[in-house]
Every structure is written in structure tokens, then in C-alpha cells.
Amino acid sequence: MPLPRALHVPFLALVWCVVSLCASRLNVPRVLLPYNHHTPTNFTLKVYNGGCYKWECSRQEVALLAGVEEDGCANEVVVSAISRSPSRQTAIILAQDSGSGDVLRCDVLVDAIHNLEIITTTRELYEEEAPEAFEVQAYDSLGNQFSTLEGMEMIWELETLTGQESSAGPQSVLRWV
Ligand SMILES: *[C@@H]1O[C@H](CO)[C@@H](O)[C@H](O)[C@H]1NC(C)=O
């Protein structure tokens, strides 16, 4: 039986809600983490609107899951990019709802940083000026932006307008935010 016309809008809104907002989902469907030989980068995967999940990763030599106990369930997990290869590695993380059995999926990619970009409102800093936040974003060779750069050490170099270079430790002049 077709729905009365007046019911169409609320009905569609309800369907939209069920399939998008109200359904359980992960904070990200895909995460791109930088390959870092020294300190693995971590990223927290969370389930919105969900119950308790059992997590598994298809390739533990690429990404390690922390924060889940054996036979336990959780609605978030820390993904550690432990890949030992600078070439692109992928793994699939599955989260299964321990009640309903529903499965959520996240693709994890670990790759080397190809280029960096500094995001700031100014390229020139004048002495005695208010502090300015400099943010770095990193991209892989295909132009995809990395999800986080946590744990990556950066050396900042400041150049004066006369062309003289001076090195600045990460803490001394420019602060990481
Ligand atoms: C990520 O987590 C691992 C294991 O808990 C830790 O050894 C590492 O230092 C963390 N990485 C960063 C960048 O904090």
C-alpha cells in the first residue's frame, strides 16, 4: 500500500536518519598514517552510536591494535602504524558488534610522506608580533592527506628576509601546535 503523501517527508527523514546519522559508524572509513621507523604513529578509531565491538586487524605487521583486551570488547581502539616498510602497506580493520554481529570496516594505509605543506596565515613573521600558529600537513605521492602526523619530528628553519638562514629547534622559536 503506498504511503499517504503527507507521510513521505517524515518517512524519508527517518530512513535517512537510520542509514546515515543514527546507524553505528566509525569516525573514519579510511586512515592514512605516516611510515615512521622510530615512533609508530597512533590514531584512535571510534564507533559512533554503537555498542561494544570486537576488533581485528588483517595484517598485524602493518597496524597493531592497542587498548583491547583479549576476549573483551570496546567502542574505540588505538591503531599503531608499526609497518617496517617505507612502501605503501595496507591493512583492514574490522569491528564486530558483540550484540548484533554487525561489522564495521576501516582501511588503514601506511605510507611514506611525499611532501609537506605549511598552513599559516602569514609567511612572514615580524619580531615582537603576536605568536602565529604554523601547522604542517603531509601528503602521500598521490596527494592524499595524512590523517595525523603525531610522533613525526620536524626541524624548522627560519629564513630572514636578507636571505640568512638560521636553524630553530622545535621548541625555541616555533612551537608545535
Ligand atoms: C604510539 O603508541 C605506542 C604504543 O603504545 C608507543 O610506543 C608510541 O610511542 C606511540 N607513538 C606516539 C607518537 O606517541
Side-chain angles (χ1 to χ4, degrees), residues 81 87 157:
S87 63
E157 279 193 0

Side-chain angles (χ1 to χ4, degrees), residues 3-63:
L3 284 171
R5 184 168 268 277
L7 277 180
H8 278 186
V9 170
F11 177 73
L12 288 178
L14 180 71
V15 169
W16 178 77
C17 169
V18 168
V19 296
S20 60
L21 285 182
C22 300
S24 309
R25 64 194 167 88
L26 287 167
N27 52 345
V28 287
R30 181 176 183 277
V31 59
L32 175 60
L33 300 175
Y35 158 74
N36 187 348
H37 190 77
H38 303 290
T39 315
T41 301
N42 300 317
F43 186 90
T44 304
L45 271 184
K46 292 184 188 140
V47 182
Y48 292 134
N49 309 317
C52 201
Y53 289 76
K54 285 188 192 288
W55 301 80
E56 62 180 86
C57 177
S58 64
R59 293 181 65 204
Q60 304 206 352
E61 74 281 15
V62 174

Side-chain angles (χ1 to χ4, degrees), residues 86-100:
S87 63
R88 193 179 191 85
Q89 301 291 318
T90 57
I92 297 163
I93 292 178
L94 297 177
Q96 187 174 36
D97 188 322
S98 48
S100 68

Side-chain angles (χ1 to χ4, degrees), residues 94-158:
L94 297 177
Q96 187 174 36
D97 188 322
S98 48
S100 68
D102 287 349
V103 174
L104 303 173
R105 167 188 171 141
C106 176
D107 293 318
V108 178
L109 297 97
V110 183
D111 204 349
I113 290 176
H114 184 260
N115 64 300
L116 293 170
E117 216 171 89
I118 296 175
I119 311 295
T120 175
T121 55
T122 177
R123 295 273 153 165
E124 290 177 11
L125 278 180
Y126 293 96
E127 271 182 81
E128 289 161 32
E129 231 178 11
E132 169 74 27
F134 281 65
E135 191 189 323
V136 174
Q137 292 182 346
Y139 300 86
D140 68 6
S141 57
L142 303 171
N144 300 305
Q145 191 187 333
F146 282 91
S147 307
T148 173
L149 293 178
E150 189 216 81
M152 302 298 292
E153 283 182 14
M154 314 254 165
I155 295 168
W156 293 82
E157 279 193 0
L158 296 176

Side-chain angles (χ1 to χ4, degrees), residues 124-127 158-166:
E124 290 177 11
L125 278 180
Y126 293 96
E127 271 182 81
L158 296 176
E159 200 174 308
T160 61
L161 284 178
T162 55
Q164 270 184 322
E165 279 196 12
S166 64

